[in-house]
Amino acid sequence: MVKMVPWIFQGIGAHHRCVQYGLNDQPGLSRLNPSSCYTLSDLAKRINCAVDFLL
């Protein structure tokens, strides 16, 4: 499926979910235990994209 949502908004959403679930500390994302091996790196890329855009 193709997502037509810009990376900046995906990054903001990923950050919001991290804050919502209390995963905003550095080892927080690794506590998710995702089923896919690419989930953590994708979330980190999206969050970093949002941070770079805002800076």
Side-chain angles (χ1 to χ4, degrees):
M1 180 190 324
V2 177
K3 290 189 177 187
M4 301 302 287
V5 179
W7 275 74
I8 180 68
F9 295 122
Q10 291 180 23
I12 292 170
H15 175 70
H16 176 73
R17 286 189 299 275
C18 287
V19 171
Q20 181 180 6
Y21 295 121
L23 304 172
N24 52 354
D25 55 342
Q26 183 60 27
L29 289 178
S30 62
R31 290 188 297 164
L32 286 176
N33 296 326
S35 59
S36 172
C37 62
Y38 299 109
T39 302
L40 293 178
S41 63
D42 284 345
L43 283 174
K45 286 179 191 175
R46 288 180 173 102
I47 292 170
N48 289 337
C49 178
V51 170
D52 290 343
F53 179 80
L54 294 173
L55 291 177

